[in-house]
Structure formats: C-alpha cells, structure tokens
Amino acid sequence: MRFNLRHIVPVALLSLVGCGVETPVSETLPAAAEELGQEQSMLQVSDCPGCLVGTEDARFVSGFEREKVVGDVYHYRIRLRVGETANDVITLHRVVREKGAWRPVRAPESIFMVHGDAWDFQGAFMSSTLSAEVADNQSIAVYLAKKDVDVWGIDLRWTHVTEATQDFSFMKDWNLGTHARDVGTGLTVARAVRTLTGSGNQKMNLLGWSRGALVGYAYMNAETQRPQGLRHVSGFIPVDMVMKFAPEAEQQRQWACVRAAVGEVALGSGRYEGNLLGPGAGVAIQYVGQKARQHPNEPAQLPDIPLPPITYRQLGVLVGGATFSLLTNELYGIQPSVPFYHFSQAKAFSGGLPTALENVKEEAFFDFLSTAHPYQSFTEMVESDRLQCGDESLPYDDHLSEVKVPVLYVGAGGGFGDYGVYSAKRLGSKDVSVHLVRKQEEAANRIADYGHADLFLAKDADKDVWEPIYQWMKKH
C-alpha cells in the first residue's frame, strides 16, 4: 500500500515530538527523517507543522514559492505569522542548487543572513536579481549557493508594512529583541527543512549586515542562555556595524548618546516609525532611486530637505558616495555613526560633492535605492544608539562574554570599518577573525574608501568580500 509522504510527514513528526515545545528540534527531526527513510522535496515540506517545534506560536501562512535564479540555483520563500496581529509576519528565504524540481542538493555548509535598514533579504543579498543592469548571479546569495552553500535569510516584520499604512502604533514594541526572536524562529525552520530535504541538521553560520548585525548580536546574546541542544549557530559573521565603541572612539560614542537622546524624545511623543530625520525614510530612498533612474537630468527636490542645485542623477550619486551628508542635522546635533559614512565609494568629487561611483554601475545603484521598503520600526534604531552610547540597561549584551563560537568581523573602510572590531572582540570567543576591505592606504581617507553597501553591490565584491567569507566558513 502506498502512502503520500506529504501527508504522513507532519503526523510522524508530531508523534515523535509530542505536544510540548521543550524537545530540541535537533533531536526530533533527524530521527523523523531517518525513520521515514527518504528525504523530502521542498514542495512536501510546505506542509510541516513539526518544523515549528520550539518557536513561540509561529505558523505558516503560505507554502514555499519557487523561482529560478540562474542555472540550477533556485530561490524559495515562505511566510510565517509570528504574533497575534496581521502585521506580525516574517518571510524566510532559501537560495540553493537543485538536483531536480523542488529537490535541493545536499549542502552540509549553510548560512542564515539578516539584512539591515531599508532593504529586505533580496534587496540586500540578491540585489542583482532586481536590476537588469547586472547579471543575476552577481550577488552573495547566488555566489555561495553555486559553491554548494545552503543560503537562508529573513525579511523582518517591518519590510511587510505597506506604503498605505498610516497608524504605526503596532510598531511600538518592535525592537532588537523582537527581531532576534524572529531570527531564532527562522533558524529553527531552516534547520528543520534542511534536515527533511537531505542536508542534515548541522548548526548554521549567522551573518548580519548593518543593523542586522546588531540583531545578530542580540540573538547570540540570548542563545547563550539556551541548552546546547537548542542552540542553532556554529559561527557568527557581523558585517560592518558597531555595538559598542572602543574607548579611543569617545567622540563617536558621544554622537551616539546625542542620537539616543533625540530618539527617546521622538519615541516619547508617540512616533514609532522612521529614523531621526523623520518618518518614511524608505519612501524618500525609493523616490530618489526612481527619479534618478527615470528623470536623471531634472532638478532634484526633496520635501523639507534643502538641496544644492543638483539633478536627480547627482542626488542618487550623493546618496551613495556621501551618505553622511544626509544623516547630519546640525540643528539637533545629529551626526552619523562614524565619520564620512557612505554606501558606495565615489570615483571623483567636485565642489565637495561626489560626481560618480567607483564600484557600482550608477543605474544598478539607483535600482537598489528603488527597492527600499517604505517604513521601519523606530524603537530598534533608538536602542541601537543607546547600545553604542554605552547604555548598560538594555538586555542585549548581558551575556556576550559567553558567546564562544568562531567569529568573523567584516568591515568596509568607508563604512563602519575598523570601528566594529572592538565589538566583535568583546565576545567570549577565542577564535575571532577580522576582514577589512580598504581601497585607501590611509585609514583617515574614509570619504574615498570602500562603502558600506559595496560589500554586497560592488563589481569585485566576489573577490574582495564573498570569497573570504566562504573560505572562512570552510575553515570553520
């Protein structure tokens, strides 16, 4: 008699794990896969309540969607409800080679990626698939997948908030801890699905870029308080971010304190969306990208933001090469996190303004800007500034000295760069590596160095950034 595995698997898993949530998924799923005697396809595991064992009442609200990227590399995504309201939604992504339709290759090496501000997983780590200006395989997710790495990632809750939204009160309690818990849910599902599709149940590398690195720190901090059988991470890769400034960066710490104070006032007034410069930051980023792409030679205008007499194309280049200038508000004493912080290295300057980008095709960068999400939760940003200020009252760094997994810090010379090394070395790991990408001999020449987004957008990022990450993963 034949049975349909798609219907049997959830029952088999539930019978193995029972009704409680204390049994580690790492103990139940390998047994389930072994008992069933064969691996499943991604189509089958779209119906897998056992994959959510150990999460905080998460549930699937869609099955896996599948799309071809290039060659035999495919991109899957699935949505999960992770709270009580319609806004408490995350999306998980998997980018992996296939040996047949819906059947991933066996990929023992794996990584889970967390994006930063404005962009989701695809915008941050697969931006080439959203632009016709570069080849689809020019992204870290595809690059690693082609090397048989199983690439997973998350779209955090705020990426799902639509542009028509006007009431953001539901974002009040969306903080770094919220996103860290969601990352834990994502890791639980990823390891379960990997087990059922034949890649084993090994722990995963966790990579967080920009504010995603702070979410990663918060997650790693919390994971130290879980039994070993419930931990998911084998290696931590914070990319271009500071959690705590070193003593020699006292000025930057003080800048963070000012930002935190201004942010607390805004939160106290009931604003839970946006950033220090106002609400709807993603809307403005989208607008600049679209205008630079469609009307490059028109005079640029932004509501409530005074601009020099430049075109939209020049404004798009300015956002890339001199991002710091748009993150400064002298009236309130607001300075960027680090001096001359910028997204992309400029090729040349004229009158103090960048005139071209060095590492990214302009049109591709404008497409990148166009894919920003309109809104973001503000509380996580204020908490980030509080951490960088040295606030000891937040719970996200209480146990960092207990983080023992191998660590690789990756920094960009014109991003957070070596400012982020101190945070990585405050962890309890005895295996901390540093990979800084610099194009300038003098570290002080930050304004003309490799940018924060160049790490994932630059034409040579595969050689400068992705291959070193891959080699570190192989070594560890």
Side-chain angles (χ1 to χ4, degrees), residues 20-85:
V21 298
E22 295 301 319
T23 307
V25 67
S26 58
E27 296 177 6
T28 61
L29 286 170
E34 182 177 349
E35 183 170 309
L36 289 167
Q38 74 177 78
E39 64 195 45
Q40 294 179 260
S41 74
M42 290 290 285
L43 193 59
Q44 289 170 308
V45 299
S46 286
D47 184 12
C48 177
C51 295
L52 297 172
V53 171
T55 66
E56 297 183 8
D57 299 321
R59 58 192 184 275
F60 295 118
V61 294
S62 73
F64 275 104
E65 301 172 1
R66 168 181 177 264
E67 62 179 353
K68 180 175 180 176
V69 182
V70 60
D72 60 355
V73 176
Y74 282 77
H75 174 206
Y76 296 92
R77 73 186 88 201
I78 191 168
R79 280 196 171 200
L80 286 79
R81 179 70 57 78
V82 287
E84 298 179 356
T85 76

Side-chain angles (χ1 to χ4, degrees), residues 49-170:
C51 295
L52 297 172
V53 171
T55 66
E56 297 183 8
D57 299 321
R59 58 192 184 275
F60 295 118
V61 294
S62 73
F64 275 104
E65 301 172 1
R66 168 181 177 264
E67 62 179 353
K68 180 175 180 176
V69 182
V70 60
D72 60 355
V73 176
Y74 282 77
H75 174 206
Y76 296 92
R77 73 186 88 201
I78 191 168
R79 280 196 171 200
L80 286 79
R81 179 70 57 78
V82 287
E84 298 179 356
T85 76
N87 295 299
D88 295 315
V89 174
I90 62 173
T91 296
L92 300 182
H93 299 258
R94 185 183 195 183
V95 184
V96 65
R97 290 181 57 233
E98 283 190 345
K99 58 188 176 184
W102 293 87
R103 292 190 174 276
V105 300
R106 296 192 178 197
E109 191 66 71
S110 62
I111 190 167
F112 191 98
M113 298 181 169
V114 186
H115 61 83
D117 294 348
W119 290 273
D120 60 14
F121 171 86
Q122 193 168 0
F125 306 119
M126 297 182 71
S127 61
S128 61
T129 65
L130 302 175
S131 174
E133 297 300 323
V134 292
D136 285 346
N137 63 353
Q138 192 177 320
S139 73
I140 186 173
V142 179
Y143 181 84
L144 294 177
K146 291 177 72 174
K147 291 179 175 287
D148 288 333
V149 177
D150 192 0
V151 180
W152 285 77
I154 189 172
D155 292 346
L156 298 174
R157 300 186 190 200
W158 51 263
T159 66
H160 300 84
V161 179
T162 64
E163 191 166 347
T165 304
Q166 295 183 343
D167 180 1
F168 298 98
S169 57
F170 60 87

Side-chain angles (χ1 to χ4, degrees), residues 278-353:
V283 177
I285 295 172
Q286 280 184 2
Y287 178 80
V288 172
Q290 291 166 358
K291 283 290 191 178
R293 200 74 168 90
Q294 299 167 7
H295 306 285
N297 298 318
E298 287 187 5
Q301 298 181 13
L302 287 177
D304 302 321
I305 298 179
L307 295 173
I310 57 177
T311 65
Y312 280 112
R313 175 201 158 270
Q314 292 171 318
L315 177 58
V317 172
L318 175 67
V319 170
T323 320
F324 63 90
S325 65
L326 301 171
L327 300 176
T328 303
N329 187 322
E330 298 291 350
L331 179 63
Y332 294 100
I334 296 173
Q335 298 288 339
S337 298
V338 294
F340 301 112
Y341 166 91
H342 53 272
F343 283 155
S344 190
Q345 180 183 350
K347 183 183 298 184
F349 289 83
S350 178
L353 299 176

